[in-house]
């Protein structure tokens, strides 16, 4: 690797490394998490599920995600971040392949649970790796590199938006099994660039017992925001395709929606949000993300047809993955280096709690009078509450840095 000094890499290499790491969220969220929205309508038709059952399957995935997020830092310490990141991707790929082999609800729920656990480990450890790609002091570049990593989600959404509808068009409703299988194969292919990138990330600074407190308590409103944001955005992502089907859109129209959503996510995360988030302080970036995502939900609730769907895809897609980007950057700025990985892990647990509860409650509401639209209005309410919570969050320097600054001030006064 070309270096500019101890532990530093050239800007071009940094971006290539972050792009390789982005294969993780391609698999973890683009395939394992979000592609289920495309597969839900044919699976529900073929397997005779209610919306509550369909939401329950995503809740199983989210419960696994909670455990994976909570244990992500442990796996990273036990096996090393590179191995934890890669094994998470391998298990996710196997879970995707397994999901195409069975129509049994219990078996699928177990696979969704395993997939949730493994993808959370991949995503949490990968986020920490992405935050370490740039070892210099330029916060805007660090934010841009995290945004490159997060753009993998949008890339995964685009790929699944092409592969799954193709399988459904060729095989009808029964094509859902082929859709899972094809994504599993793509996940296996994604292992090679991810492995190269993980090896290229500079080693983390050594930790010691005397490094002091983590300062997580000062991010408490970020935790509240992440629970509400996770519940709000994932309810939309789980059921929006089913809503569009109910509104009369066909397989390729909903595929166009999904592809536009993924492309908007990748492009906006790469070109827009990294710069914006690097400049905003405290919870302002979190609140802005919530507000834009909320606006993205409204078009499909206030109108119908392909035009409303595309507007929703562009607005919602442009911002929904900016949430993890914003909170990761905020954690890197507010937490001391030794606490960043565990901080991201616990923030992701909060995110996962919201993702576990949101689809289940939204599914129950969707089974009642008012249908899916009633369930999706829950997204609007939760996202509005998340924006309010974010505005309360203030930014502070890491405790270790604050203590050092205080010590220097005392010494200066004594002199």
């Amino acid at each position: 690797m070309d270096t500019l000094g101890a532990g530093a890499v050239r800007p071009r290499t940094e971006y290539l490394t972050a792009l390789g790491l982005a294969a993780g969220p391609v698999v973890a969220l683009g395939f394992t998490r979000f592609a289920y929205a495309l597969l839900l309508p044919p699976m529900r038709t073929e397997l005779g599920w209610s919306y509550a059952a369909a939401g329950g399957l995503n809740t199983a995935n989210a419960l696994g995600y909670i455990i994976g997020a909570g244990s992500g830092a442990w796996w990273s310490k036990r096996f090393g971040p590179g191995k934890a990141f890669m094994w998470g991707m391998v298990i996710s790929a196997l879970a995707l392949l397994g999901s195409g082999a069975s129509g049994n609800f219990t078996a699928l729920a177990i696979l969704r649970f395993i997939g949730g656990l493994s993808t959370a480990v991949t995503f949490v450890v990968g986020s920490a790796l992405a935050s370490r790609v740039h070892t210099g002091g330029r916060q805007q570049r660090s934010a841009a590199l995290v945004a490159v990593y997060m753009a993998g989600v949008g890339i995964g959404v685009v790929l699944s938006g092409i592969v799954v509808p193709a399988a459904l068009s060729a095989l009808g409703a029964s094509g859902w099994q082929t859709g899972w299988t094809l994504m599993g194969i793509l996940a296996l292919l994604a292992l090679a660039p991810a492995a190269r990138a993980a090896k290229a990330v500079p080693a983390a600074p050594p930790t010691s017992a005397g490094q002091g407190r983590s300062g997580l308590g000062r991010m408490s409103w970020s935790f509240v925001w992440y629970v509400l944001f996770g519940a709000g955005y994932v309810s939309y992502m789980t059921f929006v395709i089913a809503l569009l089907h109910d509104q009369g859109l066909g397989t390729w129209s909903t595929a166009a929606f999904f592809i536009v959503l993924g492309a908007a996510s990748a492009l906006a995360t790469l070109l827009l949000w990294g710069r914006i988030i690097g400049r905003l302080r405290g919870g302002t970036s979190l609140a802005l993300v919530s507000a834009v995502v909320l606006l993205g939900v409204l078009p499909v609730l206030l109108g119908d047809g392909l035009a409303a769907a595309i507007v929703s895809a562009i607005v919602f897609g442009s911002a929904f993955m900016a949430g993890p980007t914003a909170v990761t950057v905020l954690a890197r700025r507010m937490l001391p280096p030794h606490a960043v990985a565990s901080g991201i892990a616990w923030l992701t647990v909060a995110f996962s709690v919201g993702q576990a509860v949101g689809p289940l409650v939204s599914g129950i509401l969707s089974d009642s009078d008012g249908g899916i639209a009633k369930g999706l209005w829950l997204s609007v309410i939760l996202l509005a509450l998340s924006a309010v919570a974010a505005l309360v969050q203030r930014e502070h320097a890491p405790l270790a840095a604050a203590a050092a600054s205080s010590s220097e001030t005392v010494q200066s006064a004594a002199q």
Side-chain angles (χ1 to χ4, degrees), residues 41-364:
M43 290 178 75
R44 184 170 172 269
T45 299
E46 284 277 300
L47 304 175
W49 293 345
S50 66
Y51 284 116
L57 206 65
N58 232 19
T59 294
N61 181 261
L63 289 173
Y65 208 91
I66 291 171
I67 296 172
S71 61
W74 183 88
W75 291 110
S76 182
K77 290 178 183 177
R78 177 69 177 81
F79 297 104
K83 288 184 178 179
F85 177 72
M86 292 308 303
W87 274 109
M89 287 187 66
V90 170
I91 295 170
S92 297
L94 295 176
L96 287 166
L97 291 170
S99 297
S102 175
N104 179 270
F105 183 87
T106 301
L108 287 168
I110 292 171
L111 287 167
R112 292 290 286 163
F113 175 85
I114 293 171
L117 193 156
S118 61
T119 56
V121 173
T122 294
F123 188 67
V124 168
V125 177
S127 297
L129 288 171
S131 73
R132 291 209 320 261
V133 171
H134 177 62
T135 55
R138 294 184 59 187
Q139 291 190 0
Q140 288 185 19
R141 182 185 293 176
S142 179
L145 292 168
V146 172
V148 170
Y149 170 78
M150 297 295 177
V153 178
I155 295 169
V157 169
V158 170
L159 290 174
S160 62
I162 296 170
V163 169
V164 172
L168 295 176
S169 292
L171 301 171
S174 61
W176 65 266
Q177 292 180 297
T178 302
W180 283 120
T181 302
L182 290 174
M183 286 188 293
I185 294 170
L186 290 175
L188 292 175
L189 295 175
L191 295 175
R196 286 195 296 269
K199 290 179 182 178
V201 176
T207 61
S208 67
Q211 286 183 304
R213 293 178 295 157
S214 67
L216 277 176
R218 298 190 300 174
M219 293 191 71
S220 57
W221 283 106
S222 295
F223 281 86
V224 175
W225 169 81
Y226 223 11
V227 171
L228 294 169
F229 180 79
Y233 100 93
V234 84
S235 297
Y236 171 94
M237 284 297 292
T238 301
F239 292 110
V240 66
I241 297 296
L243 175 66
L244 297 179
H245 274 291
D246 278 4
Q247 292 179 350
L249 271 65
T251 299
W252 283 108
S253 292
T254 54
F257 163 86
F258 216 64
I259 291 169
V260 169
L261 186 149
S265 174
L267 291 173
T269 304
L270 280 169
L271 304 177
L272 180 65
W273 285 106
R275 298 176 183 178
I276 294 174
I277 290 166
R279 290 180 171 89
L280 297 177
R281 311 300 293 177
T284 307
S285 62
L286 310 182
L288 178 61
V289 169
S290 289
V292 176
V293 173
L294 186 158
L295 291 174
V297 176
L298 293 177
V300 293
L301 293 175
L302 301 177
D304 55 24
L306 185 59
I310 295 300
V311 171
S312 181
I314 292 171
V315 179
F316 183 97
S318 70
F320 80 103
M321 281 313 299
T325 304
V327 83
T328 298
V329 170
L330 187 61
R332 189 176 188 273
R333 291 203 302 231
M334 287 184 62
L335 302 178
H338 73 276
V340 171
S342 60
I344 291 172
W346 285 113
L347 283 162
T348 307
V349 169
F351 193 37
S352 306
V353 169
Q355 292 183 88
V357 174
L360 186 59
V361 177
S362 184
I364 292 170

Side-chain angles (χ1 to χ4, degrees), residues 354-401:
Q355 292 183 88
V357 174
L360 186 59
V361 177
S362 184
I364 292 170
L365 291 172
S366 296
D367 283 325
S368 64
D369 293 339
I372 305 172
K374 183 178 180 180
L376 289 186
W377 276 108
L378 176 67
S379 291
V380 175
I381 296 169
L382 292 171
L383 289 167
L385 291 173
S386 73
V388 174
L391 290 174
V392 185
Q393 178 68 62
R394 296 291 179 265
E395 185 166 333
H396 307 277
L399 286 173

